Amino acid sequence: MRLLVLGGTWFVGRAVVVAAMEAGWEVTTFNRGTSGLARKAVRSIHGDRNRPQDVAALATAGPWDAIVDTSGYVPRNTLDVAHTLTPAARRYIFMSTVSVYRDWPVKPLSERSEVLYCPPDAGPEYGTDTEDGPTQYGYQKAGCEAATVAAFGAERTTILRPGVVLGPREYVGRLPWWLRRVAAGGDVLAPGSPDRSIQPIDVRDLAAFTLRTIIDGSSGAFNVCAPIDSGTFGGLLADCAHATRADASFKWVPDDFLLGQGVRQWSELPLWRTFDGVWRVDTAAAQAAGLRTRPLALTVRDTWRWLVDSGEVSNHGRAAEIGIGREKEAQVLDAWRRSGERPS
């Protein structure tokens, strides 16, 4: 197989490149060459997807059996890139997100759920952020999906909609924050209930499924998450304690109390969100098409090993939003104790 990855140096793109190389595929990456590590076995073409001349030059370097687009964020640009590369590839796989659904994160979802409307030629200004509802990011990704279908046609296009992606080299920093916090030990503020179901997917499983859709020629859209009820928040934190060998004591504090204390969902306590639909994303279609997911404990273990071995700290802009400060954490726990309740 000959594969072109648009991106290929960050988290998901890099995992796709590594998986394809390990499968013996011939891999080309296209990016600006400003981040990530080059791999000797990969053909690297440097250029900017926002420069038409760079994309036109890239098209002459084909053909490829498939293109995996991990760096498309603006519909108009994705449309231009996909149109230019149409003659150079058989298939186009676009890495999207569950944020394209109008009801995420409020309601449970399947591929039949309504997708946000965004024209395939929309610019970066299209869409708005609403509190606890659709985001501009979701609108833009929905437009990118429409753009890829407009360029390659439905039969030659695969749309992948992952939810939360974890694993080694995660740059947002959700799991790395929990691992470092648990490793520090002591009383750890744990959100809501340990029985809350979660369904993050390991980046390596997402990459493997991406290759599977190419091999099988699978078309259409797929939600790509771990199965519903395959893991719990309590299990995740227990796995963090096991991986780090930490002397940590988890203090589970109810959702309502945390919200009353002004604790920000999704960011101050990563992966914590109270809406019913956050972790109720149906993945039956992807499982039928070959998606396989490893136990969350393995993702936690391997992420900790990567953190220890690399000493890496993300400088990505989103990472700065992740994690509650130790002082605020202590204040919330103290307020919970003084409320007359006792942390579990």
Side-chain angles (χ1 to χ4, degrees), residues 2-3 26 43 59-66 87-90:
R2 301 189 69 200
L3 179 68
E26 183 179 329
R43 181 188 183 193
T60 66
W64 296 280
D65 295 295
R90 296 178 183 176

PDB file of all heavy atoms in Angstrom, residues 2-3 26 43 59-66 87-90:
ATOM      1  N   ARG A   2       0.457   2.220  -0.771  1.00  0.00           N
ATOM      2  CA  ARG A   2       1.117   3.516  -0.781  1.00  0.00           C
ATOM      3  C   ARG A   2       0.189   4.515  -0.100  1.00  0.00           C
ATOM      4  O   ARG A   2      -0.952   4.709  -0.512  1.00  0.00           O
ATOM      5  CB  ARG A   2       1.432   3.964  -2.211  1.00  0.00           C
ATOM      6  CG  ARG A   2       2.334   3.021  -2.989  1.00  0.00           C
ATOM      7  CD  ARG A   2       2.765   3.653  -4.293  1.00  0.00           C
ATOM      8  NE  ARG A   2       3.664   4.772  -4.053  1.00  0.00           N
ATOM      9  CZ  ARG A   2       3.897   5.743  -4.953  1.00  0.00           C
ATOM     10  NH1 ARG A   2       3.260   5.760  -6.104  1.00  0.00           N
ATOM     11  NH2 ARG A   2       4.738   6.702  -4.671  1.00  0.00           N
ATOM     12  N   LEU A   3       0.697   5.158   0.943  1.00  0.00           N
ATOM     13  CA  LEU A   3      -0.123   6.016   1.783  1.00  0.00           C
ATOM     14  C   LEU A   3       0.471   7.407   1.875  1.00  0.00           C
ATOM     15  O   LEU A   3       1.675   7.571   2.093  1.00  0.00           O
ATOM     16  CB  LEU A   3      -0.220   5.421   3.190  1.00  0.00           C
ATOM     17  CG  LEU A   3      -1.031   6.211   4.232  1.00  0.00           C
ATOM     18  CD1 LEU A   3      -2.511   6.210   3.868  1.00  0.00           C
ATOM     19  CD2 LEU A   3      -0.826   5.634   5.628  1.00  0.00           C
ATOM     20  N   GLU A  26       4.332   1.821   2.109  1.00  0.00           N
ATOM     21  CA  GLU A  26       5.179   2.919   1.643  1.00  0.00           C
ATOM     22  C   GLU A  26       4.491   4.225   2.031  1.00  0.00           C
ATOM     23  O   GLU A  26       3.397   4.529   1.542  1.00  0.00           O
ATOM     24  CB  GLU A  26       5.358   2.833   0.127  1.00  0.00           C
ATOM     25  CG  GLU A  26       6.285   3.878  -0.461  1.00  0.00           C
ATOM     26  CD  GLU A  26       6.436   3.731  -1.961  1.00  0.00           C
ATOM     27  OE1 GLU A  26       6.358   2.587  -2.453  1.00  0.00           O
ATOM     28  OE2 GLU A  26       6.609   4.770  -2.629  1.00  0.00           O
ATOM     29  N   ARG A  43       8.966   8.974   3.438  1.00  0.00           N
ATOM     30  CA  ARG A  43       9.241  10.014   2.447  1.00  0.00           C
ATOM     31  C   ARG A  43       8.552  11.291   2.918  1.00  0.00           C
ATOM     32  O   ARG A  43       7.333  11.374   2.974  1.00  0.00           O
ATOM     33  CB  ARG A  43       8.693   9.586   1.091  1.00  0.00           C
ATOM     34  CG  ARG A  43       8.929  10.583  -0.030  1.00  0.00           C
ATOM     35  CD  ARG A  43       8.162  10.129  -1.257  1.00  0.00           C
ATOM     36  NE  ARG A  43       8.376  10.981  -2.414  1.00  0.00           N
ATOM     37  CZ  ARG A  43       7.637  10.940  -3.521  1.00  0.00           C
ATOM     38  NH1 ARG A  43       6.637  10.066  -3.601  1.00  0.00           N
ATOM     39  NH2 ARG A  43       7.892  11.744  -4.534  1.00  0.00           N
ATOM     40  N   ALA A  59       0.733  16.809  -5.474  1.00  0.00           N
ATOM     41  CA  ALA A  59      -0.073  15.917  -6.316  1.00  0.00           C
ATOM     42  C   ALA A  59       0.777  15.192  -7.354  1.00  0.00           C
ATOM     43  O   ALA A  59       0.457  14.066  -7.746  1.00  0.00           O
ATOM     44  CB  ALA A  59      -1.187  16.708  -6.985  1.00  0.00           C
ATOM     45  N   THR A  60       1.857  15.809  -7.779  1.00  0.00           N
ATOM     46  CA  THR A  60       2.715  15.172  -8.786  1.00  0.00           C
ATOM     47  C   THR A  60       3.590  14.078  -8.187  1.00  0.00           C
ATOM     48  O   THR A  60       4.231  13.330  -8.927  1.00  0.00           O
ATOM     49  CB  THR A  60       3.626  16.221  -9.458  1.00  0.00           C
ATOM     50  OG1 THR A  60       4.561  16.741  -8.487  1.00  0.00           O
ATOM     51  CG2 THR A  60       2.802  17.367 -10.019  1.00  0.00           C
ATOM     52  N   ALA A  61       3.632  13.981  -6.854  1.00  0.00           N
ATOM     53  CA  ALA A  61       4.472  12.980  -6.193  1.00  0.00           C
ATOM     54  C   ALA A  61       3.750  11.648  -6.014  1.00  0.00           C
ATOM     55  O   ALA A  61       4.360  10.680  -5.552  1.00  0.00           O
ATOM     56  CB  ALA A  61       4.930  13.497  -4.834  1.00  0.00           C
ATOM     57  N   GLY A  62       2.471  11.587  -6.382  1.00  0.00           N
ATOM     58  CA  GLY A  62       1.704  10.356  -6.254  1.00  0.00           C
ATOM     59  C   GLY A  62       2.044   9.367  -7.358  1.00  0.00           C
ATOM     60  O   GLY A  62       3.086   9.503  -8.020  1.00  0.00           O
ATOM     61  N   PRO A  63       1.207   8.360  -7.539  1.00  0.00           N
ATOM     62  CA  PRO A  63      -0.098   8.184  -6.916  1.00  0.00           C
ATOM     63  C   PRO A  63      -0.004   7.439  -5.587  1.00  0.00           C
ATOM     64  O   PRO A  63       1.019   6.843  -5.267  1.00  0.00           O
ATOM     65  CB  PRO A  63      -0.861   7.343  -7.944  1.00  0.00           C
ATOM     66  CG  PRO A  63       0.213   6.483  -8.542  1.00  0.00           C
ATOM     67  CD  PRO A  63       1.442   7.363  -8.613  1.00  0.00           C
ATOM     68  N   TRP A  64      -1.117   7.501  -4.828  1.00  0.00           N
ATOM     69  CA  TRP A  64      -1.234   6.776  -3.567  1.00  0.00           C
ATOM     70  C   TRP A  64      -2.520   5.958  -3.564  1.00  0.00           C
ATOM     71  O   TRP A  64      -3.498   6.305  -4.242  1.00  0.00           O
ATOM     72  CB  TRP A  64      -1.262   7.747  -2.390  1.00  0.00           C
ATOM     73  CG  TRP A  64       0.003   8.521  -2.243  1.00  0.00           C
ATOM     74  CD1 TRP A  64       1.160   8.094  -1.675  1.00  0.00           C
ATOM     75  CD2 TRP A  64       0.255   9.872  -2.675  1.00  0.00           C
ATOM     76  NE1 TRP A  64       2.121   9.090  -1.717  1.00  0.00           N
ATOM     77  CE2 TRP A  64       1.594  10.188  -2.332  1.00  0.00           C
ATOM     78  CE3 TRP A  64      -0.514  10.832  -3.326  1.00  0.00           C
ATOM     79  CZ2 TRP A  64       2.166  11.421  -2.613  1.00  0.00           C
ATOM     80  CZ3 TRP A  64       0.049  12.055  -3.608  1.00  0.00           C
ATOM     81  CH2 TRP A  64       1.379  12.348  -3.252  1.00  0.00           C
ATOM     82  N   ASP A  65      -2.501   4.891  -2.807  1.00  0.00           N
ATOM     83  CA  ASP A  65      -3.731   4.118  -2.629  1.00  0.00           C
ATOM     84  C   ASP A  65      -4.720   4.869  -1.752  1.00  0.00           C
ATOM     85  O   ASP A  65      -5.935   4.724  -1.917  1.00  0.00           O
ATOM     86  CB  ASP A  65      -3.406   2.760  -1.997  1.00  0.00           C
ATOM     87  CG  ASP A  65      -2.569   1.891  -2.915  1.00  0.00           C
ATOM     88  OD1 ASP A  65      -3.068   1.513  -3.988  1.00  0.00           O
ATOM     89  OD2 ASP A  65      -1.411   1.609  -2.561  1.00  0.00           O
ATOM     90  N   ALA A  66      -4.194   5.645  -0.820  1.00  0.00           N
ATOM     91  CA  ALA A  66      -5.088   6.379   0.076  1.00  0.00           C
ATOM     92  C   ALA A  66      -4.376   7.587   0.654  1.00  0.00           C
ATOM     93  O   ALA A  66      -3.145   7.618   0.766  1.00  0.00           O
ATOM     94  CB  ALA A  66      -5.584   5.484   1.212  1.00  0.00           C
ATOM     95  N   PRO A  87      -6.889  13.334  -8.409  1.00  0.00           N
ATOM     96  CA  PRO A  87      -6.313  12.433  -9.405  1.00  0.00           C
ATOM     97  C   PRO A  87      -5.166  11.581  -8.867  1.00  0.00           C
ATOM     98  O   PRO A  87      -4.745  10.628  -9.530  1.00  0.00           O
ATOM     99  CB  PRO A  87      -5.785  13.404 -10.484  1.00  0.00           C
ATOM    100  CG  PRO A  87      -6.436  14.717 -10.206  1.00  0.00           C
ATOM    101  CD  PRO A  87      -6.628  14.749  -8.727  1.00  0.00           C
ATOM    102  N   ALA A  88      -4.657  11.914  -7.689  1.00  0.00           N
ATOM    103  CA  ALA A  88      -3.441  11.264  -7.201  1.00  0.00           C
ATOM    104  C   ALA A  88      -3.708  10.139  -6.203  1.00  0.00           C
ATOM    105  O   ALA A  88      -2.768   9.506  -5.734  1.00  0.00           O
ATOM    106  CB  ALA A  88      -2.533  12.311  -6.540  1.00  0.00           C
ATOM    107  N   ALA A  89      -4.973   9.879  -5.853  1.00  0.00           N
ATOM    108  CA  ALA A  89      -5.255   8.860  -4.841  1.00  0.00           C
ATOM    109  C   ALA A  89      -6.599   8.198  -5.107  1.00  0.00           C
ATOM    110  O   ALA A  89      -7.513   8.798  -5.671  1.00  0.00           O
ATOM    111  CB  ALA A  89      -5.246   9.474  -3.445  1.00  0.00           C
ATOM    112  N   ARG A  90      -6.703   6.960  -4.631  1.00  0.00           N
ATOM    113  CA  ARG A  90      -7.947   6.212  -4.794  1.00  0.00           C
ATOM    114  C   ARG A  90      -8.965   6.555  -3.723  1.00  0.00           C
ATOM    115  O   ARG A  90     -10.166   6.576  -3.994  1.00  0.00           O
ATOM    116  CB  ARG A  90      -7.659   4.711  -4.744  1.00  0.00           C
ATOM    117  CG  ARG A  90      -6.787   4.193  -5.875  1.00  0.00           C
ATOM    118  CD  ARG A  90      -6.525   2.699  -5.678  1.00  0.00           C
ATOM    119  NE  ARG A  90      -5.644   2.178  -6.707  1.00  0.00           N
ATOM    120  CZ  ARG A  90      -5.190   0.921  -6.735  1.00  0.00           C
ATOM    121  NH1 ARG A  90      -5.543   0.086  -5.759  1.00  0.00           N
ATOM    122  NH2 ARG A  90      -4.393   0.518  -7.698  1.00  0.00           N
TER     123      ARG A  90
END
